[in-house]
Protein backbone atom coordinates (compact mmCIF):
# COMPACT_ATOMS: atom_id res chain seq x y z
CA UNK A 1 0.00 0.00 0.00
CA UNK A 2 2.75 2.46 0.96
CA UNK A 3 4.34 1.96 -2.48
CA UNK A 4 1.32 3.71 -4.01
CA UNK A 5 0.80 6.34 -1.31
CA UNK A 6 1.98 9.23 -3.48
CA UNK A 7 -0.55 8.26 -6.21
CA UNK A 8 -3.32 7.88 -3.63
CA UNK A 9 -2.57 11.31 -2.15
CA UNK A 10 -2.99 12.85 -5.63
CA UNK A 11 -6.45 11.32 -6.01
CA UNK A 12 -9.21 13.95 -5.61
CA UNK A 13 -11.15 11.49 -3.44
CA UNK A 14 -8.56 11.93 -0.68
CA UNK A 15 -7.94 15.67 -1.04
CA UNK A 16 -7.38 17.48 2.25
CA UNK A 17 -6.64 14.31 4.24
CA UNK A 18 -3.27 14.23 5.99
CA UNK A 19 -0.97 11.28 5.33
CA UNK A 20 -1.26 9.77 8.82
CA UNK A 21 -5.05 9.97 8.67
CA UNK A 22 -5.02 8.66 5.11
CA UNK A 23 -3.33 5.44 6.20
CA UNK A 24 -5.91 5.00 8.96
CA UNK A 25 -8.70 5.70 6.48
CA UNK A 26 -7.44 3.19 3.92
CA UNK A 27 -7.31 0.57 6.65
CA UNK A 28 -10.84 1.47 7.72
CA UNK A 29 -12.08 1.19 4.13
CA UNK A 30 -10.43 -2.24 3.79
CA UNK A 31 -9.27 -1.41 0.24
CA UNK A 32 -8.08 -4.06 -2.17
CA UNK A 33 -5.40 -3.67 -4.84
CA UNK A 34 -5.64 -5.68 -8.05
CA UNK A 35 -3.47 -5.86 -11.19
CA UNK A 36 -4.96 -6.09 -14.69
CA UNK A 37 -3.37 -6.83 -18.03
CA UNK A 38 -4.08 -4.65 -21.05
CA UNK A 39 -7.64 -5.14 -22.40
CA UNK A 40 -8.76 -6.90 -19.22
CA UNK A 41 -12.20 -5.98 -17.90
CA UNK A 42 -12.10 -4.25 -14.53
CA UNK A 43 -15.81 -3.49 -14.18
CA UNK A 44 -18.29 -5.62 -16.10
CA UNK A 45 -21.39 -4.30 -17.81
CA UNK A 46 -24.64 -5.66 -16.37
CA UNK A 47 -23.19 -6.44 -12.95
CA UNK A 48 -24.28 -4.76 -9.69
CA UNK A 49 -22.21 -1.66 -8.90
CA UNK A 50 -20.66 -1.89 -5.46
CA UNK A 51 -17.08 -0.68 -5.78
CA UNK A 52 -15.25 2.55 -6.49
CA UNK A 53 -12.01 2.17 -8.43
CA UNK A 54 -8.84 4.27 -8.26
CA UNK A 55 -6.16 3.91 -10.94
CA UNK A 56 -2.81 3.66 -9.14
CA UNK A 57 -0.76 2.73 -12.18
CA UNK A 58 -1.59 2.52 -15.89
CA UNK A 59 -4.87 3.62 -17.44
CA UNK A 60 -8.41 2.47 -18.13
CA UNK A 61 -11.33 3.33 -20.38
CA UNK A 62 -15.08 3.53 -19.79
CA UNK A 63 -16.95 1.93 -22.69
CA UNK A 64 -20.55 1.33 -23.67
CA UNK A 65 -21.46 -1.36 -26.22
CA UNK A 66 -24.91 -1.33 -27.84
CA UNK A 67 -27.10 -4.25 -28.93
CA UNK A 68 -25.30 -4.47 -32.29
CA UNK A 69 -21.83 -4.47 -30.77
CA UNK A 70 -20.99 -0.87 -31.60
CA UNK A 71 -18.59 0.63 -29.07
CA UNK A 72 -18.93 4.09 -27.63
CA UNK A 73 -16.15 5.48 -25.46
CA UNK A 74 -17.51 7.42 -22.50
CA UNK A 75 -14.14 8.50 -21.11
CA UNK A 76 -10.57 7.69 -20.13
CA UNK A 77 -9.24 7.26 -16.60
CA UNK A 78 -5.62 8.10 -15.85
CA UNK A 79 -3.47 7.62 -12.77
CA UNK A 80 -4.95 8.86 -9.48
CA UNK A 81 -8.40 9.20 -11.07
CA UNK A 82 -11.50 7.35 -9.91
CA UNK A 83 -14.32 5.50 -11.68
CA UNK A 84 -17.56 3.71 -10.92
CA UNK A 85 -18.54 6.05 -8.08
CA UNK A 86 -21.73 7.33 -9.73
CA UNK A 87 -23.10 3.82 -10.21
CA UNK A 88 -21.94 2.52 -6.81
CA UNK A 89 -23.44 5.48 -4.95
CA UNK A 90 -26.73 5.01 -6.81
CA UNK A 91 -26.75 1.30 -5.98
CA UNK A 92 -27.17 0.44 -9.67
CA UNK A 93 -28.26 -3.19 -10.05
CA UNK A 94 -26.94 -3.42 -13.63
CA UNK A 95 -23.97 -1.24 -14.54
CA UNK A 96 -24.63 0.25 -18.02
CA UNK A 97 -20.94 0.51 -18.96
CA UNK A 98 -17.78 -1.52 -18.63
CA UNK A 99 -14.31 -0.39 -17.60
CA UNK A 100 -11.39 -1.89 -19.50
CA UNK A 101 -7.69 -1.62 -18.73
CA UNK A 102 -5.89 0.08 -21.63
CA UNK A 103 -2.44 -0.87 -20.30
CA UNK A 104 -0.93 -3.00 -17.57
CA UNK A 105 -2.73 -1.39 -14.65
CA UNK A 106 -2.92 -1.46 -10.88
CA UNK A 107 -6.33 -0.59 -9.46
CA UNK A 108 -7.42 0.11 -5.89
CA UNK A 109 -10.98 -1.07 -5.24
CA UNK A 110 -13.08 0.40 -2.43
CA UNK A 111 -16.40 -0.93 -1.16
CA UNK A 112 -18.72 2.06 -1.65
CA UNK A 113 -20.79 1.21 1.43
CA UNK A 114 -17.71 1.76 3.59
CA UNK A 115 -17.30 5.22 2.08
CA UNK A 116 -20.90 6.32 2.48
CA UNK A 117 -21.28 4.98 6.03
CA UNK A 118 -18.83 6.40 8.57
CA UNK A 119 -17.37 4.03 11.13
CA UNK A 120 -18.37 4.26 14.80
CA UNK A 121 -15.60 6.81 15.44
CA UNK A 122 -17.16 9.24 12.92
CA UNK A 123 -13.69 10.57 12.08
CA UNK A 124 -13.46 14.07 10.64
CA UNK A 125 -11.34 12.85 7.75
CA UNK A 126 -14.09 10.37 6.80
CA UNK A 127 -16.48 13.31 6.49
CA UNK A 128 -13.88 14.95 4.24
CA UNK A 129 -13.86 11.78 2.13
CA UNK A 130 -17.65 11.96 1.64
CA UNK A 131 -17.40 15.67 0.78
CA UNK A 132 -14.72 14.88 -1.83
CA UNK A 133 -16.91 12.13 -3.28
CA UNK A 134 -19.88 14.48 -3.68
CA UNK A 135 -17.65 17.13 -5.24
CA UNK A 136 -16.29 14.57 -7.69
CA UNK A 137 -19.78 13.42 -8.63
CA UNK A 138 -20.72 17.01 -9.41
CA UNK A 139 -17.66 17.30 -11.66
CA UNK A 140 -18.57 14.07 -13.45
CA UNK A 141 -22.06 15.46 -14.05
CA UNK A 142 -20.54 18.53 -15.72
CA UNK A 143 -18.32 16.31 -17.91
CA UNK A 144 -21.36 14.24 -18.87
CA UNK A 145 -23.28 17.30 -20.04
CA UNK A 146 -20.25 18.54 -21.97
CA UNK A 147 -20.09 15.24 -23.84
CA UNK A 148 -23.82 15.42 -24.60
CA UNK A 149 -23.28 18.91 -25.98
CA UNK A 150 -20.51 17.60 -28.24
CA UNK A 151 -22.25 14.46 -29.50
CA UNK A 152 -25.54 16.31 -30.09
CA UNK A 153 -23.93 18.43 -32.82
CA UNK A 154 -25.41 17.68 -36.22
CA UNK A 155 -22.28 16.89 -38.24
CA UNK A 156 -19.01 15.06 -37.72
CA UNK A 157 -17.15 18.31 -38.38
CA UNK A 158 -19.14 20.17 -35.72
CA UNK A 159 -18.62 17.37 -33.18
CA UNK A 160 -14.88 17.28 -33.84
CA UNK A 161 -14.42 21.04 -33.56
CA UNK A 162 -16.55 21.22 -30.40
CA UNK A 163 -14.37 18.53 -28.82
CA UNK A 164 -11.10 20.15 -29.89
CA UNK A 165 -12.23 23.55 -28.61
CA UNK A 166 -13.15 21.99 -25.28
CA UNK A 167 -9.70 20.36 -25.05
CA UNK A 168 -8.00 23.67 -25.89
CA UNK A 169 -10.00 25.49 -23.23
CA UNK A 170 -9.17 22.87 -20.59
CA UNK A 171 -5.45 22.97 -21.46
CA UNK A 172 -5.43 26.76 -21.74
CA UNK A 173 -3.53 26.61 -25.04
CA UNK A 174 -4.15 25.90 -28.71
CA UNK A 175 -1.76 22.93 -28.95
CA UNK A 176 -2.55 19.78 -26.97
CA UNK A 177 -2.66 15.99 -27.08
CA UNK A 178 -5.86 13.98 -26.79
CA UNK A 179 -6.11 10.57 -25.05
CA UNK A 180 -7.53 8.80 -28.12
CA UNK A 181 -6.30 7.24 -31.34
CA UNK A 182 -8.46 7.77 -34.46
CA UNK A 183 -10.81 4.83 -33.84
CA UNK A 184 -11.21 5.75 -30.18
CA UNK A 185 -11.90 9.38 -31.09
CA UNK A 186 -14.57 8.23 -33.54
CA UNK A 187 -16.10 6.04 -30.83
CA UNK A 188 -16.06 8.94 -28.36
CA UNK A 189 -17.73 11.30 -30.83
CA UNK A 190 -20.18 8.59 -31.98
CA UNK A 191 -19.18 8.98 -35.63
CA UNK A 192 -17.81 6.83 -38.44
CA UNK A 193 -14.01 6.61 -38.46
CA UNK A 194 -13.62 7.16 -42.20
CA UNK A 195 -15.89 10.19 -42.07
CA UNK A 196 -13.89 11.55 -39.15
CA UNK A 197 -10.62 11.13 -41.06
CA UNK A 198 -12.11 13.01 -44.03
CA UNK A 199 -13.12 15.94 -41.82
CA UNK A 200 -9.73 16.06 -40.10
CA UNK A 201 -8.11 16.21 -43.53
CA UNK A 202 -10.42 19.01 -44.67
CA UNK A 203 -9.85 21.09 -41.53
CA UNK A 204 -6.12 20.64 -41.95
CA UNK A 205 -6.23 21.63 -45.64
CA UNK A 206 -8.28 24.71 -44.77
CA UNK A 207 -5.67 25.81 -42.26
CA UNK A 208 -8.01 25.53 -39.28
CA UNK A 209 -6.06 22.79 -37.47
CA UNK A 210 -2.70 21.02 -37.52
CA UNK A 211 -2.43 17.46 -36.32
CA UNK A 212 -0.02 14.57 -35.99
CA UNK A 213 -1.42 11.34 -34.56
CA UNK A 214 -3.10 12.39 -31.30
CA UNK A 215 -1.54 15.86 -31.13
CA UNK A 216 -3.66 18.76 -32.37
CA UNK A 217 -3.23 22.48 -32.73
CA UNK A 218 -6.09 24.88 -33.44
CA UNK A 219 -4.92 27.58 -35.84
CA UNK A 220 -8.22 29.39 -36.30
CA UNK A 221 -10.90 29.68 -33.63
CA UNK A 222 -13.65 30.46 -36.08
CA UNK A 223 -16.85 28.61 -36.74
CA UNK A 224 -16.08 25.63 -39.00
Amino acid sequence: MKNYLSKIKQCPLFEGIQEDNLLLLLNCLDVKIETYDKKNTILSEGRPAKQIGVVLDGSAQIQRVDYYGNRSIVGNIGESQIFGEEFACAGTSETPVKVVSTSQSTIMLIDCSRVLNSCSKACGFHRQLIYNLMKGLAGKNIDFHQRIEITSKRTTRDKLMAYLMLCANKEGKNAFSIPFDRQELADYLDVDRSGLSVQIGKLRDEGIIKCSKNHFEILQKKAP
Side-chain angles (χ1 to χ4, degrees), residues 8 17-18 125 192 197 206:
I8 296 172
I17 300 175
Q18 297 298 317
F125 50 80
D192 178 71
S197 296
E206 293 168 20

Side-chain angles (χ1 to χ4, degrees), residues 114-176:
R114 286 182 174 265
V115 176
L116 296 178
N117 301 293
S118 297
C119 63
S120 58
K121 297 180 181 179
C123 306
F125 50 80
H126 200 136
R127 290 194 293 272
Q128 179 67 37
L129 176 72
I130 296 174
Y131 170 80
N132 291 341
L133 178 61
M134 296 303 104
K135 183 179 177 182
L137 286 170
K140 286 283 183 74
N141 191 45
I142 292 172
D143 291 341
F144 174 73
H145 285 287
Q146 287 177 332
R147 183 168 185 266
I148 290 177
E149 183 178 352
I150 291 169
T151 56
S152 64
K153 299 295 184 184
R154 296 184 64 183
T155 68
T156 297
R157 182 185 179 103
D158 289 342
K159 292 180 181 182
L160 174 61
M161 283 303 299
Y163 174 69
L164 295 180
M165 291 296 293
L166 177 64
C167 291
N169 289 334
K170 284 184 175 181
E171 293 292 328
K173 54 186 178 181
N174 290 350
F176 50 86

